[in-house]
Amino acid sequence: MFEEILSSLKRNKLRTTLTGFAVAWGIFMLIVLLGAGNGLVHAFQSSSGKRALNSVSVYPGWTTIEYNGLRTGRRVRLNESDLRAMKQNLDTNIIDIYPVSSKSGLKISYGNEYVNATLDGVYPGNIKVNSLEIKEGRFVNDIDINQKRKICVLSTKTVEILFSNSDPIGQFVNAGGFMFRVVGIYKQDDSENSHTLYVPYSTLMTIYDKDGYVDMITLTTKNLTSIEENDAFESNMMSLIGERRMFDKNDEGALWIWNRFTNYLRTQNVMEVLTNSIWIVGILTLISGIVGVSNIMLITVKERTHEFGIRKALGAKPRQILLMIVTESVVITAIFGYVGMLMGIGTTELLNMIIEQQNFEAFQDPTVDIAIAVEATVTLIVAGTLAGFFPAKRAVSIKPIEALRG
């Protein structure tokens, strides 16, 4: 039987090749599309895992809505009393809360090398909020805060520029005319181009008199597991600070809130939609290949009607003819489906190797689980079997006398 099938395929090389290409292309596109979707999802998960998802950053802004006769465009200022008010009134949803004070546009130099950077005055707890990874040395500690020490923690990128051939730990850098001793180095993402030095909050507030005003409030939350709960928490925060600083609670320009968990959930929803869309497009591509197989089988049955009549007249059983046509359909989908699977896996692996070499963090590990690729191929073969079954059933139903007349 297999010899007959191979003979039939050889007699119709162009038709077989075009049908097989449609099948191979379908499984190839499905695997490549799934790999591309996985690359985006993996990059998103990797980026999310680097920061505390339950962290919230609050930045003061300018009013955009009139409030009790007060004009718009007023600058909103926050200080440590606002932190205490938030901790007291929103305690059921706050784990830790810290002020951050910044000084930007400073020239940071060591010897003849320099960078333009920002000083962030922080507390020890900020390392958890920002999920900083200390590569060498340490972070700001409580003693630094209490004694207002002039110490700093540099990023790996800053170290590469300032200390290309020496160990930075224990060295002093000049930051805007003040000398800071380097006590630690934190790992900075390749996607981040700015330079930030972390120093004790008390030190920065002493050096740069800001009248007690802070540039940012960072906090970690608890008992907030949905977008709705986080939105309600933010609304309560806006009402509290709005009453204290005299701005409308709906004025998003007055207070800018960056909620990582809310953004994570929303991005996750987008990723789910993207993944589902990729599956839909891939499956539709597969279906087009299956339709091609079915059409080819219909043409084959029509062309071989006379042959089938002779076979039945000579005593061939219907199931033998049915099995022959279905097997031909399975052979086409199995061979070309396997080729398409190998090409798809090979393409995603090659793409993954290139991305790893380029260290491209916005797109990571665009590969597909082998099990999924095999399942998709098996599904394709089963569909190919069905695509050949219906034309075969038609061939079996033809009476020998009618077939011989054809």
Side-chain angles (χ1 to χ4, degrees), residues 88-154:
Q88 181 179 355
N89 291 276
L90 305 174
D91 184 59
T92 55
N93 296 122
I94 294 180
I95 300 175
D96 294 307
I97 184 167
Y98 305 102
V100 176
S101 185
S102 300
K103 184 65 177 179
S104 59
L106 294 178
K107 179 179 178 180
I108 312 299
S109 62
Y110 177 79
N112 295 324
E113 304 295 336
Y114 71 92
V115 296
N116 292 316
T118 298
L119 292 185
D120 271 3
V122 297
Y123 276 85
N126 282 103
I127 190 174
K128 295 181 180 179
V129 175
N130 295 327
S131 296
L132 292 175
E133 179 183 345
I134 299 299
K135 182 179 180 181
E136 188 177 348
R138 64 174 179 84
F139 194 64
V140 175
N141 60 32
D142 291 328
I143 298 177
D144 298 326
I145 298 292
N146 295 333
Q147 297 183 5
K148 301 180 181 179
R149 290 177 172 176
K150 292 181 181 177
I151 60 95
C152 67
V153 182
L154 308 180

Side-chain angles (χ1 to χ4, degrees), residues 208-246:
Y208 302 100
D209 184 13
K210 293 193 172 186
D211 296 327
Y213 293 118
V214 301
D215 296 293
M216 178 174 63
I217 296 174
T218 61
L219 55 105
T220 50
T221 60
K222 60 183 178 181
N223 304 324
L224 302 175
T225 59
S226 66
I227 292 178
E228 292 74 20
E229 290 176 348
N230 278 274
D231 287 343
F233 172 74
E234 292 177 21
S235 179
N236 292 335
M237 185 189 302
M238 289 290 290
S239 297
L240 174 64
I241 302 301
E243 184 177 344
R244 291 175 56 84
R245 296 301 169 187
M246 295 189 298

Side-chain angles (χ1 to χ4, degrees), residues 124-387:
N126 282 103
I127 190 174
K128 295 181 180 179
V129 175
N130 295 327
S131 296
L132 292 175
E133 179 183 345
I134 299 299
K135 182 179 180 181
E136 188 177 348
R138 64 174 179 84
F139 194 64
V140 175
N141 60 32
D142 291 328
I143 298 177
D144 298 326
I145 298 292
N146 295 333
Q147 297 183 5
K148 301 180 181 179
R149 290 177 172 176
K150 292 181 181 177
I151 60 95
C152 67
V153 182
L154 308 180
S155 70
T156 50
K157 282 193 173 183
T158 304
V159 169
E160 288 176 3
I161 296 174
L162 299 184
F163 300 90
S164 57
N165 298 314
S166 61
D167 182 8
I169 301 298
Q171 302 296 327
F172 286 84
V173 295
N174 188 321
F178 296 93
M179 304 301 292
F180 287 83
R181 184 167 61 90
V182 180
V183 297
I185 303 170
Y186 69 91
K187 187 176 180 180
Q188 185 179 24
D189 293 339
D190 292 332
S191 58
E192 298 179 24
N193 295 319
S194 61
H195 298 275
T196 300
L197 280 69
Y198 291 102
V199 302
Y201 173 81
S202 57
T203 304
L204 190 139
M205 293 295 281
T206 300
I207 294 175
Y208 302 100
D209 184 13
K210 293 193 172 186
D211 296 327
Y213 293 118
V214 301
D215 296 293
M216 178 174 63
I217 296 174
T218 61
L219 55 105
T220 50
T221 60
K222 60 183 178 181
N223 304 324
L224 302 175
T225 59
S226 66
I227 292 178
E228 292 74 20
E229 290 176 348
N230 278 274
D231 287 343
F233 172 74
E234 292 177 21
S235 179
N236 292 335
M237 185 189 302
M238 289 290 290
S239 297
L240 174 64
I241 302 301
E243 184 177 344
R244 291 175 56 84
R245 296 301 169 187
M246 295 189 298
F247 63 81
D248 192 288
K249 64 179 182 180
N250 298 314
D251 191 348
E252 296 182 356
L255 206 64
W256 187 67
I257 301 174
W258 175 253
N259 190 324
R260 288 196 179 95
F261 188 67
T262 299
N263 282 276
Y264 170 79
L265 292 178
R266 287 172 177 162
T267 306
Q268 192 175 49
N269 291 336
V270 173
M271 289 298 173
E272 289 178 359
V273 172
L274 174 64
T275 301
N276 292 335
S277 299
I278 288 174
W279 270 106
I280 292 173
V281 172
I283 290 173
L284 290 176
T285 306
L286 279 181
I287 291 175
S288 66
I290 297 303
V291 170
V293 174
S294 181
N295 289 335
I296 291 301
M297 290 297 103
L298 285 171
I299 295 173
T300 300
V301 168
K302 186 176 181 179
E303 289 179 349
R304 300 174 67 183
T305 299
H306 189 72
E307 174 192 335
F308 294 150
I310 295 174
R311 286 176 179 271
K312 294 182 74 173
L314 294 176
K317 296 180 179 179
R319 65 181 181 83
Q320 292 176 324
I321 297 176
L322 182 70
L323 181 62
M324 182 176 64
I325 299 174
V326 170
T327 303
E328 183 174 333
S329 176
V330 172
V331 168
I332 293 175
T333 53
I335 293 176
F336 288 97
Y338 182 71
V339 171
M341 182 186 72
L342 291 181
M343 290 175 59
I345 292 175
T347 300
T348 56
E349 291 293 340
L350 177 62
L351 185 60
N352 183 46
M353 183 177 65
I354 294 173
I355 289 173
E356 286 182 349
Q357 292 177 348
Q358 298 295 326
N359 199 19
F360 189 50
E361 296 189 355
F363 197 73
Q364 298 180 13
D365 191 19
T367 56
V368 178
D369 193 302
I370 296 297
I372 294 178
V374 172
E375 288 173 6
T377 306
V378 171
T379 302
L380 177 67
I381 295 172
V382 172
T385 303
L386 295 176

Side-chain angles (χ1 to χ4, degrees), residues 20-127:
F21 175 78
V23 172
W25 181 255
I27 195 70
F28 170 79
M29 285 303 299
L30 176 61
I31 292 175
V32 171
L33 286 172
L34 288 177
N38 286 339
L40 294 174
V41 171
H42 293 157
F44 164 66
Q45 292 174 341
S46 175
S47 176
S48 299
K50 293 178 180 178
R51 294 185 179 275
L53 289 180
N54 64 331
S55 65
V56 178
S57 300
V58 183
Y59 302 86
W62 284 263
T63 59
T64 59
I65 301 176
E66 291 186 0
Y67 179 79
N68 290 344
L70 298 174
R71 62 180 176 81
T72 61
R74 292 178 295 110
R75 184 178 182 182
V76 176
R77 307 295 295 271
L78 301 177
N79 59 31
E80 293 187 33
S81 67
D82 295 304
L83 275 77
R84 291 189 290 270
M86 292 168 64
K87 181 64 176 176
Q88 181 179 355
N89 291 276
L90 305 174
D91 184 59
T92 55
N93 296 122
I94 294 180
I95 300 175
D96 294 307
I97 184 167
Y98 305 102
V100 176
S101 185
S102 300
K103 184 65 177 179
S104 59
L106 294 178
K107 179 179 178 180
I108 312 299
S109 62
Y110 177 79
N112 295 324
E113 304 295 336
Y114 71 92
V115 296
N116 292 316
T118 298
L119 292 185
D120 271 3
V122 297
Y123 276 85
N126 282 103
I127 190 174

